[in-house]
Amino acid sequence: MRRLDIGDRLLAYLVFAAAVVLVTFFAFQHKLSREWHLPGSPTLYLFGVAGTILLCVSVVFVITKRTGTGGSPLGWFSAHVVTATLGTVLVTIHSGGFLRYAPALLLVALLFLVILGVWARVRLSKDMAATFATRDESFSPPRSEDREQLARLIEEKESLLSRLEPGASEGTFSPMLKHWFLKPGVTLAYARLIGRENKLLGVRSSVSTAQAYWRLVHIVLAFAFVLGMLGHVITVTFFAGYVSGGGEIYWWHLTKW
């Protein structure tokens, strides 16, 4: 079966189309009725809900990747790219162009997530492939003193692994979500050993700063966006009075606290 993958050209077309839609909408927004200018109006509220649902597909991708269930991670990655792009368009339209309030920070985080993701897929992936192909030191035996420390680290990892995932191979095992939920203490200890092992091998220092930290930045931005999105949904739904500042509450809500 053909793999579900998104090439650089298709990704460029997708991002370009999203940009055209947004530029066109805001260029002609002044010709639309009042409800298209109010974030959370009946029409724009639906845009926000649909955009949020699409953006949540990225969460499903992370769960699938970290649990090994739900089908091909590559297929979910492609879905993550497409739905994240469409979701970004919808929630940006949902904002109505209001960038003077705290929710605008969510759009900033989303913008950086899109830029970082596209850059990593188009440019950084090639650098990472070239780095892996030319790192002869990765296949060279470590120094004798490092070898002794590695041996002790591996013994500690194997001891923890027997409690964490009996029968798993230390050389290929990576903690998954179920381990963090079921045995968080042991998983954390194992993760720390992995960090010590990588530091001893000089894994991070052997690549560029961009390759070493882009994923961490992407995760932090995504986590901040999800928290901000949840906070936004809760406040406009249950604290509509606070959000409106005593003004008109024109969006769907449950309480006016």
Side-chain angles (χ1 to χ4, degrees):
M1 294 180 62
R2 184 180 180 183
R3 297 195 310 172
L4 297 174
D5 193 12
I6 294 182
D8 294 350
R9 179 175 296 181
L10 180 57
L11 179 60
Y13 288 155
L14 185 63
V15 173
F16 178 74
V20 169
V21 170
L22 289 177
V23 170
T24 302
F25 171 78
F26 287 110
F28 292 94
Q29 186 187 22
H30 65 282
K31 296 181 178 295
L32 300 176
S33 60
R34 178 174 178 266
E35 66 177 354
W36 289 93
H37 297 260
L38 297 175
S41 66
T43 300
L44 294 186
Y45 182 86
L46 295 177
F47 274 77
V49 171
T52 300
I53 292 174
L54 288 173
L55 290 171
C56 285
V57 173
S58 298
V59 179
V60 179
F61 163 63
V62 173
I63 294 175
T64 301
K65 181 180 178 182
R66 291 301 177 184
T67 60
T69 60
S72 169
L74 182 59
W76 278 107
F77 171 78
S78 299
H80 148 71
V81 172
V82 174
T83 57
T85 304
L86 295 177
T88 299
V89 171
L90 293 180
V91 297
T92 303
I93 293 176
H94 162 75
S95 72
F98 275 77
L99 302 177
R100 301 187 297 273
Y101 304 104
L105 295 176
L106 295 178
L107 295 180
V108 174
L110 201 53
L111 175 63
F112 277 108
L113 278 171
V114 171
I115 293 174
L116 183 60
V118 172
W119 170 75
R121 178 64 178 82
V122 174
R123 174 60 186 173
L124 189 62
S125 60
K126 294 180 175 59
D127 293 340
M128 294 176 70
T131 298
F132 180 79
T134 56
R135 283 179 58 193
D136 296 333
E137 66 274 13
S138 300
F139 305 96
S140 303
R143 297 175 302 177
S144 57
E145 57 269 27
D146 292 339
R147 195 178 307 148
E148 294 177 359
Q149 295 183 53
L150 280 172
R152 291 193 295 268
L153 275 174
I154 291 174
E155 288 180 3
E156 292 182 55
K157 289 175 66 180
E158 289 177 340
S159 175
L160 287 176
L161 190 56
S162 64
R163 298 161 52 192
L164 192 59
E165 187 70 38
S169 172
E170 178 274 331
T172 58
F173 175 79
S174 179
M176 305 181 78
L177 285 178
K178 66 176 183 179
H179 300 113
W180 287 101
F181 280 114
L182 298 177
K183 299 178 180 179
V186 180
T187 304
L188 178 60
Y190 193 88
R192 286 176 175 172
L193 290 178
I194 293 176
R196 287 170 54 190
E197 183 181 23
N198 290 339
K199 185 177 181 180
L200 185 61
L201 293 173
V203 172
R204 181 159 290 179
S205 60
S206 64
V207 297
S208 65
T209 301
Q211 293 182 50
Y213 293 102
W214 85 268
R215 185 170 175 272
L216 176 62
V217 174
H218 194 70
I219 291 174
V220 170
L221 279 174
F223 188 69
F225 174 77
V226 170
L227 287 181
M229 181 177 66
L230 289 175
H232 176 63
V233 171
I234 291 172
T235 53
V236 299
T237 304
F238 297 99
F239 301 90
Y242 169 77
V243 174
S244 68
E248 177 188 5
I249 303 176
Y250 50 82
W251 60 89
W252 180 86
H253 58 280
L254 291 176
T255 60
K256 299 181 180 181
W257 297 340

